């Protein structure tokens, strides 16, 4: 991946040092190692009735005082949602009771401009996750969503002075209705899939990002999505527009409490990369094990634009997510780095899609999955080259690492090439963590657990080294927490 | 007191076939033993079993390090007791740099094992960096080598040099070198042999496993043992290796 766009490569030894300091000491038993499983009492100011009906959608739109066109779009999407069958091709969705979910939970009446404006419980939640601290240290802007609404938003003044817009989606709709109307659902129409329709019907929160032509945002903008309520459905909606020559790195993180009943997270993200622009979208999701995570993410890249998805999928019960890049004009470049970690009771069905719709476009998909303790990791990807997209190049590499006999890995690579004159590479490997590797490392004094950690760390290194230092540390730390107690 | 590795009447099976059929051998600190033998005689099996490879089962006999039977110990426990194996075919660990790995290994050996499932406490970076650079210079290894991924895409010579580099940092009391000369050209062989010689001391015992006599021109053994069909059929001084070089393994055929 074009590393020059981002900060210099993190020194992995430094990363390791930072991890050593960051990881709290823990017991070794194979219990729930999820450290964000806490929740605070529900103090929401409004929640819709459980289940989804026309009134739910009307109520959400009414509370938000939306323009009529948005209500109509929602209602239309709701019809589509009801009419589409539950997808059966991926993970098992049959156990999720959609009638037992709150589709809208409003946690507070107002959005904070400073963290002091945010209600105590909510502020404390984000303190424990470390958001205000990260904001002070290295972020250009922060959005923090709690259940259905964004409760805090900030953007550094030097960025807003350059015309950068970074708002929650609801504020985006209020303040820039014409822009939103022009782009909203234009890449992911409601009819695209059942969950895109669901999101369009009940969306709330998410980010609206606009980078004016030529503006290069060199520090990340970050949104954090936190579910607090039980049986919650979170449906944030994100729209990113990078004008010609603009650059931005947008990062999202997500966590939720561990509840015994299921929650649903179903987001839609649409990104426009105008000519010569460069957008990187990094996800480090770390959902609790009761969350169904069904997300549609898609970007279009025009002439000489670069779109990069860095997608870290940890936690959740089931994740189905295949970020995609449509390369619409010559010189467009799409890149997807995907990592998935599936442990007991988890199915990560993740991957990516690249669509070459113009000549001389290029793409790379790199997928790394790890499964352990009976977890299941699937790579599902599409590489499509349209007729006439001559001179296109694509390389797809998916590697799976299986840590024990109970665990499972599958690969579903779909390749549709309608043009002769192209350069395509596809490689898939599945390896079990090798006895030889463990023996070699242990012969040098490493315990079995430490040896496994090291093999896994090496396995994901090609991906982690693409992340800015702070996120590389976070990713390694999360993987390490997943690994703890995994041996024996 | 120096270390002592004593192998007593060792019988080993691999997938039901008896590979070692009663090996007796004692290596003490300050000694260099050369174990020679034709392909398939069980030399590498012995190396693996000493280090605790999980695929091999000991049928009978014992391996004592300073009088303690180590056969029930995990490989990392053996390593921390001062045993080292230079692999004939070092295993690639993609994505893990030589420096990252070695810092963890050196820390595990010197500071003790990590708590289960936890990362090892690490020796200070500055101290480690200084040390690894010195050792690399001695072995004529470019310093950029520390950033490469362990054994991944290494040439034959690089792999063997990396093994000796590890040995020099881990400072074992008993080192088993398994075919450390195989696949090396003469310059690489000399560099590796120099690296081993530099480490020889009254504190270190070496078991040098080799098919050819060639490396013994550079590392002089005190004792030479010939292994055929899973046991040692003849032992002697350095002259035995020369005799073997001249006559070939035919000379011990009758002893089997």
């Amino acid at each position: 991946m074009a590393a020059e766009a981002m900060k210099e490569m993190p020194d992995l030894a430094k990363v390791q040092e930072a991890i050593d300091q960051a990881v709290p000491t823990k017991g070794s038993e194979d219990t729930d190692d999820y450290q964000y499983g806490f929740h605070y009492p529900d103090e929401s100011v409004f929640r819709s009735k459980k289940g989804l009906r026309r009134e739910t959608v009307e109520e959400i739109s009414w509370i938000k005082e939306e323009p009529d066109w948005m209500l109509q779009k929602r209602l239309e999407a709701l019809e589509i949602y009801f009419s589409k069958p539950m997808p059966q091709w991926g993970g098992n969705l049959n156990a999720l009771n959609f009638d037992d979910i709150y589709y809208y939970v409003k946690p507070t009446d107002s959005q904070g401009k400073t963290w002091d404006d945010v209600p105590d419980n909510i502020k404390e939640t984000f303190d424990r996750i470390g958001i205000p601290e990260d904001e002070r240290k290295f972020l250009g802007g922060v959005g923090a969503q709690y259940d259905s609404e964004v409760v805090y938003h900030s953007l550094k003044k030097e960025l807003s002075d350059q015309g950068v817009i970074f708002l929650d989606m609801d504020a985006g709709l209020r303040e820039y209705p014409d822009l939103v109307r022009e782009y909203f659902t234009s890449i992911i129409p409601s009819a695209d899939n059942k969950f895109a329709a669901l999101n369009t019907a009940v969306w709330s929160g998410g980010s609206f990002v606009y980078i004016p032509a030529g503006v290069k945002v060199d520090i990340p903008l970050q949104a954090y999505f936190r579910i607090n309520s039980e049986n919650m459905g979170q449906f944030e909606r994100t729209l990113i527009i990078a004008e010609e020559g603009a650059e931005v790195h947008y990062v999202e993180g997500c966590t939720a409490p561990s509840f015994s009943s299921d929650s649903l997270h179903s987001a839609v993200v649409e990104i426009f990369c105008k000519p010569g622009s460069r957008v990187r979208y990094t996800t480090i999701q770390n959902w609790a094990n009761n969350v169904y995570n069904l997300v549609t993410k898609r970007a279009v890249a025009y002439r000489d634009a670069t779109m990069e998805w860095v997608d870290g999928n940890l936690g959740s019960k089931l994740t189905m997510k295949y970020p995609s890049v449509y390369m619409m004009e010559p010189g467009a470049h799409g890149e997807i780095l995907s990592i998935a970690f599936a442990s007991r009771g988890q199915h990560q069905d993740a991957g990516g899609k690249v669509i070459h719709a113009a000549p001389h476009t290029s793409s790379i998909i790199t997928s790394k999955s790890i499964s352990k303790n009976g977890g299941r990791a699937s790579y599902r990807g599409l590489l499509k080259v349209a007729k006439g997209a001559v001179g296109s190049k694509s390389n797809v590499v998916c590697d799976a690492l299986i840590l024990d006999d109970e665990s499972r890995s599958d690969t579903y690579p779909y390749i549709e090439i309608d043009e002769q004159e192209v350069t395509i590479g596809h490689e898939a490997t599945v390896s079990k963590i090798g006895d030889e590797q463990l023996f070699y490392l242990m012969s040098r004094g490493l315990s079995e657990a430490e040896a496994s950690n090291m093999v896994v760390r090496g396995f994901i290194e090609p991906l982690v080294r693409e992340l800015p230092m702070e996120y590389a540390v976070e990713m390694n730390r999360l993987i390490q927490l997943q690994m703890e107690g995994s041996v024996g | 007191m120096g270390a002592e590795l004593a192998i007593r009447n060792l019988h080993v099976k691999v997938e039901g076939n008896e590979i070692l059929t009663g090996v007796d051998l004692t290596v003490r600190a300050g000694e260099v033993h050369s174990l020679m033998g034709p392909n398939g005689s069980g030399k590498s099996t012995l190396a693996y079993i000493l280090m605790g490879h999980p695929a091999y089962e000991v049928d009978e006999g014992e391996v004592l390090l300073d009088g303690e039977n180590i056969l029930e110990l995990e490989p990392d426990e053996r390593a921390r007791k001062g045993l080292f194996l230079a692999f004939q075919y070092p295993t690639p660990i993609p994505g893990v740099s030589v420096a990252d790995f070695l810092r963890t290994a050196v820390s595990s050996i010197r500071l003790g094992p990590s708590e289960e499932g936890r990362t090892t406490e690490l020796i200070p970076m500055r101290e480690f960096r200084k040390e690894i650079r010195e050792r690399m210079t001695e072995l004529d290894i470019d310093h950029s080598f520390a950033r490469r991924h362990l054994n991944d895409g290494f040439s034959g010579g690089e792999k063997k040099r990396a093994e000796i580099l590890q040995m020099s940092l881990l400072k074992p009391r008993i080192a088993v070198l398994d075919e450390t000369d195989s696949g090396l050209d003469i310059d690489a062989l000399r560099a590796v042999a120099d690296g081993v010689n530099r480490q020889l001391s009254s504190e270190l015992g070496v078991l040098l496993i080799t098919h050819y006599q060639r490396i013994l021109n550079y590392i002089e053994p005190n004792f030479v043992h010939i292994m055929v069909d899973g046991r040692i059929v003849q032992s002697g001084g350095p002259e035995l290796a020369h005799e073997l070089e001249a006559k070939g393994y035919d000379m011990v055929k009758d002893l089997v």
Side-chain angles (χ1 to χ4, degrees):
Chain A
M1 183 175 272
E4 70 278 6
M6 305 313 306
K7 297 275 161 56
E8 63 189 53
M9 261 174 56
D11 176 342
L12 286 178
K14 272 196 204 141
V15 169
Q16 186 56 44
E17 241 163 342
I19 294 167
D20 297 339
Q21 285 158 13
V23 179
T25 305
K26 278 206 168 197
S28 63
E29 72 263 65
D30 189 16
T31 53
D32 191 352
D33 277 329
Y34 186 65
Q35 71 177 125
Y36 302 107
F38 64 88
H39 72 278
Y40 285 94
D42 169 40
E43 291 174 357
S44 56
V45 295
F46 176 80
R47 57 173 58 210
S48 58
K49 281 198 203 116
K50 267 188 183 177
L52 180 57
R53 51 195 80 74
R54 187 182 168 96
E55 294 72 46
T56 320
V57 171
E58 288 171 339
E59 197 168 57
I60 293 171
S61 189
W62 181 79
I63 288 171
K64 293 176 179 293
E65 300 178 22
E66 287 177 347
D68 186 60
W69 68 264
M70 183 57 84
L71 173 62
Q72 295 314 317
K73 222 172 213 344
R74 287 179 182 276
L75 292 171
E76 188 189 314
L78 186 69
E79 289 308 312
I80 295 169
Y81 170 69
F82 284 139
S83 69
K84 278 189 181 289
M86 193 59 66
Q88 300 296 328
W89 47 265
N92 182 0
L93 293 164
N94 301 327
L96 177 57
N97 183 356
F98 289 84
D99 295 330
D100 197 35
I101 282 176
Y102 295 103
Y103 285 79
Y104 179 72
V105 177
K106 182 176 180 164
T108 167
D109 272 323
S110 62
Q111 186 179 99
K113 295 281 173 224
T114 72
W115 283 105
D116 288 338
D117 301 338
V118 175
D120 287 348
N121 277 346
I122 299 178
K123 177 175 182 297
E124 210 170 299
T125 297
F126 287 110
D127 272 336
R128 284 173 74 170
I129 297 165
I131 304 300
E133 197 189 338
D134 290 349
E135 180 183 8
R136 283 193 297 274
K137 280 191 192 154
F138 64 91
L139 296 172
V142 168
Q145 178 159 347
Y146 194 80
D147 289 340
S148 297
E149 294 288 350
V150 176
V151 296
Y152 171 82
H153 224 284
S154 74
L155 180 66
K156 279 203 158 60
K157 189 171 174 303
E158 58 263 38
L159 294 175
S160 54
D161 286 350
Q162 292 178 77
V164 172
I165 302 168
F166 179 40
L167 292 169
D168 69 274
M169 193 64 199
D170 295 281
L173 176 61
R174 278 195 305 273
E175 296 177 29
Y176 301 93
D178 296 341
L179 269 178
V180 172
R181 192 168 187 176
E182 182 183 349
Y183 290 100
F184 190 86
T185 65
S186 67
I187 314 182
I188 305 174
S190 306
D192 186 80
N193 68 73
K194 189 172 177 75
F195 292 99
L198 174 62
N199 175 280
T200 307
V202 297
W203 73 269
S204 182
S207 300
F208 177 70
V209 180
Y210 179 85
I211 314 294
V215 173
K216 295 176 170 37
V217 181
D218 56 6
I219 40 178
L221 304 180
Q222 179 173 299
Y224 202 92
F225 298 96
R226 172 71 181 177
I227 292 177
N228 184 66
S229 297
E230 197 166 2
N231 300 113
M232 169 71 204
Q234 192 176 53
F235 305 98
E236 88 268 11
R237 180 91 188 191
T238 289
L239 177 58
I240 298 175
I241 303 159
E243 291 289 0
E244 286 196 26
E247 289 185 12
V248 66
H249 184 190
Y250 175 92
V251 184
E252 63 169 354
C254 343
T255 56
S258 306
F259 288 120
S260 53
S261 58
D262 297 327
S263 286
L264 171 62
H265 174 257
S266 188
V268 166
V269 177
E270 297 173 288
I271 301 178
F272 295 82
C273 309
K274 300 284 182 73
S277 68
R278 176 183 283 273
V279 176
R280 175 179 284 198
Y281 190 113
T282 297
T283 301
I284 300 183
Q285 93 177 27
N286 183 24
W287 291 115
N289 292 355
N290 56 304
V291 177
Y292 283 82
N293 184 42
L294 312 167
V295 172
T296 310
K297 290 179 164 170
R298 197 170 295 168
V300 290
Y302 296 95
R303 183 177 295 270
D304 298 328
T306 292
M307 174 66 211
E308 302 169 333
W309 295 102
V310 179
D311 200 26
N313 297 304
L314 287 95
S316 84
K317 184 172 194 171
L318 168 66
T319 287
M320 291 171 68
K321 174 149 55 106
Y322 326 97
S324 57
V325 185
Y326 285 66
M327 287 154 281
M328 308 304 288
E329 291 179 354
H333 178 70
E335 208 154 317
I336 300 163
L337 282 176
S338 168
I339 181 163
F341 197 119
S343 190
R344 192 180 309 289
Q346 296 181 323
H347 183 185
Q348 303 283 5
D349 198 273
K353 302 185 210 173
V354 286
I355 290 88
H356 294 258
H360 305 292
T361 49
S362 57
S363 66
I364 300 174
I365 298 179
T366 310
S367 158
K368 299 256 174 188
S369 76
I370 300 158
S371 47
K372 71 151 193 163
N373 284 355
R376 178 177 175 195
S378 310
Y379 168 79
R380 192 180 298 275
L382 171 67
L383 160 58
K384 186 175 172 62
V385 179
K387 184 89 189 129
V390 293
S392 290
K393 285 183 202 161
S394 180
N395 196 34
V396 179
V397 178
C398 33
D399 299 327
L401 183 65
I402 303 174
L403 297 189
D404 52 52
D405 292 330
E406 307 169 73
S407 302
R408 174 172 169 188
S409 169
D410 317 273
T411 306
Y412 308 98
Y414 300 91
I415 300 179
E416 298 170 18
I417 311 290
D418 297 325
E419 180 56 57
Q420 297 288 317
E421 215 186 298
V422 294
T423 313
I424 302 297
H426 182 266
E427 230 182 283
T429 67
V430 179
S431 42
K432 265 198 72 177
I433 194 163
D435 281 346
E436 297 304 324
Q437 288 184 323
L438 291 182
F439 174 59
Y440 185 82
L441 294 173
M442 288 174 75
S443 80
R444 301 313 189 226
L446 276 63
S447 66
E448 186 175 354
E450 177 71 40
S452 303
N453 267 342
M454 188 163 273
V455 172
V456 169
R457 218 156 60 217
F459 178 73
I460 61 167
E461 186 272 348
L463 199 148
V464 170
R465 79 162 167 234
E466 292 298 334
L467 300 174
M469 171 76 103
E470 292 80 6
Y471 299 103
V473 169
E474 175 69 0
M475 183 72 93
N476 271 334
R477 193 181 65 85
L478 292 175
I479 295 279
Q480 202 158 299
L481 284 169
Q482 295 275 328
M483 286 296 293
E484 274 180 21
S486 68
V487 173
Chain B
M1 199 192 81
E4 182 190 83
L5 178 76
I7 303 162
R8 303 255 190 270
N9 189 32
L10 194 63
H11 292 252
V12 171
K13 272 187 193 156
V14 180
E15 288 164 359
N17 300 320
E18 195 160 46
I19 305 293
L20 298 185
T21 55
V23 176
D24 286 275
L25 181 63
T26 301
V27 178
R28 296 184 182 84
E31 298 174 351
V32 177
H33 291 249
S34 175
L35 180 66
M36 305 183 69
N39 289 332
S41 58
K43 305 188 298 294
S44 287
T45 299
L46 178 64
Y48 276 151
I49 205 88
L50 291 176
M51 203 66 236
H53 193 292
Y56 298 83
E57 46 173 306
V58 172
D59 234 25
E60 199 184 328
E62 44 186 23
V63 175
L64 307 170
L65 184 59
D66 302 332
E68 181 196 0
N69 192 351
I70 58 169
L71 286 177
E72 294 302 316
L73 299 182
E74 293 293 326
D76 55 318
E77 295 171 301
R78 301 182 196 202
R80 285 194 292 270
K81 288 187 179 296
L83 192 61
F84 179 85
L85 170 62
F87 283 61
Q88 180 178 5
Y89 303 111
T91 314
I93 314 286
V96 175
S97 73
V98 170
D100 183 18
F101 157 69
L102 263 176
R103 186 172 170 220
T104 309
V106 168
S107 304
S108 305
I109 299 275
R110 293 189 198 160
L111 306 177
S114 60
E115 199 184 311
E116 175 138 5
R118 299 278 307 112
T119 19
T120 312
E121 189 194 339
L122 293 174
I123 58 172
M125 182 53 110
R126 189 175 299 237
E127 180 186 323
F128 173 73
R129 199 174 282 157
K130 181 168 175 286
E131 197 175 338
I132 191 173
R133 284 190 178 152
E134 284 171 10
R135 296 292 94 76
M136 286 194 292
T137 305
E138 283 170 12
L139 282 161
D140 199 19
I141 295 173
D142 192 272
H143 289 186
S144 66
F145 191 75
R147 290 197 296 274
R148 291 181 59 189
H149 293 166
L150 184 60
N151 301 325
D152 194 22
F154 284 14
S155 70
E158 286 170 338
K159 282 185 182 171
K160 299 300 169 76
R161 261 184 236 217
E163 292 293 289
I164 302 306
L165 172 66
Q166 294 181 39
M167 178 178 161
S168 71
L169 283 160
L170 297 175
K171 300 191 176 77
R173 301 156 67 231
I174 298 286
V176 179
L177 311 183
D178 187 11
E179 305 266 2
T180 294
D181 53 335
S182 68
L184 297 185
D185 63 30
I186 194 74
D187 292 333
L189 178 63
R190 191 171 287 145
V192 164
D194 284 350
V196 174
N197 282 327
R198 201 173 292 114
Q199 295 174 53
L200 293 181
S201 76
S202 59
E203 305 293 308
L204 173 68
V206 174
L207 179 60
L208 184 62
I209 295 175
T210 179
H211 183 79
Y212 298 105
Q213 188 267 345
R214 191 173 68 145
I215 194 173
L216 305 183
N217 294 334
Y218 301 94
I219 303 172
E220 195 167 340
N222 309 103
F223 306 94
V224 174
H225 311 274
I226 300 172
M227 181 177 250
V228 181
D229 287 350
R231 64 191 182 90
I232 290 170
V233 295
Q234 195 174 358
S235 296
E239 71 288 347
L240 186 57
H242 296 291
E243 195 183 337
L244 192 65
E245 176 77 357
K247 297 183 183 164
Y249 285 108
D250 279 351
M251 78 178 238
V252 291
K253 239 180 10 195
D254 303 339
L255 301 172
V256 177

